[in-house]
Coordinates of all heavy atoms in Angstrom, one line a residue:
G165 N 0.2 -33.9 15.9 CA -0.9 -34.8 15.6 C -2.2 -34.3 16.2 O -2.5 -33.1 16.2
E166 N -3.0 -35.2 16.6 CA -4.4 -34.8 17.1 C -4.3 -34.3 18.6 O -3.7 -35.0 19.4 CB -5.2 -36.1 17.1 CG -6.7 -36.0 17.4 CD -7.3 -37.3 17.3 OE1 -7.2 -38.1 18.3 OE2 -8.0 -37.6 16.3
V167 N -4.8 -33.1 18.8 CA -4.7 -32.6 20.2 C -5.6 -33.4 21.1 O -6.8 -33.5 20.7 CB -5.0 -31.1 20.2 CG1 -5.0 -30.6 21.6 CG2 -4.0 -30.3 19.3
R168 N -5.1 -33.8 22.2 CA -5.9 -34.7 23.1 C -6.3 -34.0 24.4 O -7.3 -34.3 25.0 CB -5.1 -35.9 23.4 CG -4.7 -36.8 22.2 CD -5.9 -37.6 21.7 NE -5.6 -38.3 20.5 CZ -4.9 -39.4 20.4 NH1 -4.4 -40.0 21.5 NH2 -4.7 -40.0 19.2
A169 N -5.5 -33.0 24.9 CA -5.8 -32.3 26.1 C -4.9 -31.1 26.2 O -3.8 -31.0 25.6 CB -5.6 -33.2 27.3
V170 N -5.4 -30.0 27.0 CA -4.6 -28.8 27.2 C -4.8 -28.4 28.7 O -5.8 -28.5 29.2 CB -5.1 -27.7 26.3 CG1 -4.2 -26.4 26.5 CG2 -5.1 -28.1 24.8
Q171 N -3.7 -28.0 29.2 CA -3.7 -27.4 30.6 C -3.0 -26.0 30.5 O -2.0 -25.9 29.8 CB -3.0 -28.2 31.6 CG -3.5 -29.6 31.8 CD -2.8 -30.7 30.9 OE1 -1.6 -30.7 30.9 NE2 -3.6 -31.5 30.3
S172 N -3.6 -25.0 31.2 CA -3.0 -23.7 31.2 C -3.2 -23.0 32.6 O -4.1 -23.4 33.3 CB -3.6 -22.8 30.1 OG -4.9 -22.5 30.4
A173 N -2.3 -22.1 32.9 CA -2.3 -21.5 34.2 C -1.9 -20.0 34.1 O -0.9 -19.7 33.4 CB -1.5 -22.2 35.2
M174 N -2.5 -19.1 34.9 CA -2.1 -17.7 35.0 C -2.3 -17.3 36.4 O -3.4 -17.0 36.9 CB -3.0 -16.9 34.1 CG -2.6 -15.4 34.1 SD -1.1 -15.0 33.2 CE -1.2 -13.3 33.2
C175 N -1.2 -17.4 37.2 CA -1.2 -17.2 38.6 C -0.1 -16.2 39.0 O 1.0 -16.3 38.6 CB -1.0 -18.4 39.4 SG -2.1 -19.8 39.0
F176 N -0.5 -15.1 39.7 CA 0.4 -14.2 40.3 C 0.2 -14.0 41.8 O -1.0 -14.1 42.2 CB 0.2 -12.8 39.6 CG 0.8 -12.7 38.3 CD1 -0.1 -12.4 37.2 CD2 2.1 -12.8 38.0 CE1 0.4 -12.3 35.9 CE2 2.6 -12.6 36.8 CZ 1.8 -12.4 35.7
D177 N 1.2 -13.9 42.5 CA 1.1 -13.8 44.0 C 1.0 -12.3 44.4 O 2.1 -11.6 44.4 CB 2.3 -14.5 44.7 CG 2.1 -14.5 46.2 OD1 1.1 -14.0 46.7 OD2 2.9 -15.2 46.9
W178 N -0.2 -11.9 44.6 CA -0.4 -10.5 45.0 C -0.8 -10.4 46.5 O -1.4 -9.4 46.9 CB -1.5 -9.9 44.1 CG -1.0 -9.4 42.8 CD1 0.1 -8.7 42.5 CD2 -1.7 -9.7 41.5 NE1 0.2 -8.5 41.1 CE2 -0.9 -9.1 40.5 CE3 -2.8 -10.4 41.1 CZ2 -1.2 -9.1 39.2 CZ3 -3.2 -10.4 39.8 CH2 -2.4 -9.8 38.8
T179 N -0.4 -11.4 47.2 CA -0.7 -11.4 48.7 C -0.3 -10.2 49.4 O -1.1 -9.6 50.1 CB -0.1 -12.7 49.3 OG1 -0.5 -13.8 48.6 CG2 -0.6 -12.8 50.8
E180 N 1.0 -9.8 49.2 CA 1.5 -8.6 49.9 C 0.9 -7.3 49.5 O 0.6 -6.4 50.3 CB 3.0 -8.6 49.7 CG 3.7 -7.5 50.6 CD 3.5 -7.8 52.1 OE1 3.3 -9.0 52.5 OE2 3.4 -6.8 52.9
I181 N 0.6 -7.3 48.2 CA -0.1 -6.0 47.6 C -1.4 -5.8 48.2 O -1.8 -4.7 48.7 CB -0.2 -6.1 46.1 CG1 1.2 -6.1 45.5 CG2 -1.0 -5.0 45.5 CD1 1.2 -6.3 44.0
V182 N -2.2 -6.9 48.3 CA -3.6 -6.7 48.8 C -3.6 -6.6 50.4 O -4.5 -6.0 51.0 CB -4.5 -7.9 48.4 CG1 -4.7 -7.8 46.9 CG2 -4.0 -9.2 48.8
R183 N -2.5 -7.2 51.0 CA -2.4 -7.0 52.4 C -2.1 -5.6 52.8 O -2.7 -5.0 53.8 CB -1.3 -7.9 53.0 CG -1.1 -7.8 54.5 CD 0.1 -8.6 55.0 NE -0.2 -10.0 54.9 CZ 0.5 -10.9 54.2 NH1 1.5 -10.5 53.5 NH2 0.1 -12.2 54.1
Q184 N -1.4 -4.9 52.0 CA -1.1 -3.5 52.2 C -2.2 -2.6 51.8 O -2.4 -1.5 52.3 CB 0.2 -3.1 51.5 CG 1.5 -3.7 51.9 CD 2.7 -3.4 51.1 OE1 2.6 -2.4 50.3 NE2 3.8 -4.1 51.3
N185 N -3.1 -3.0 50.9 CA -4.2 -2.3 50.5 C -5.5 -3.1 50.5 O -5.8 -3.7 49.5 CB -3.9 -1.7 49.1 CG -5.1 -0.8 48.6 OD1 -6.0 -0.6 49.3 ND2 -5.0 -0.3 47.4

Side-chain angles (χ1 to χ4, degrees):
E166 187 178 80
V167 176
R168 303 284 174 79
V170 182
Q171 299 95 48
S172 66
M174 182 70 169
C175 305
F176 284 116
D177 190 353
W178 280 313
T179 305
E180 190 58 32
I181 294 176
V182 298
R183 181 182 291 121
Q184 294 177 12
N185 183 3

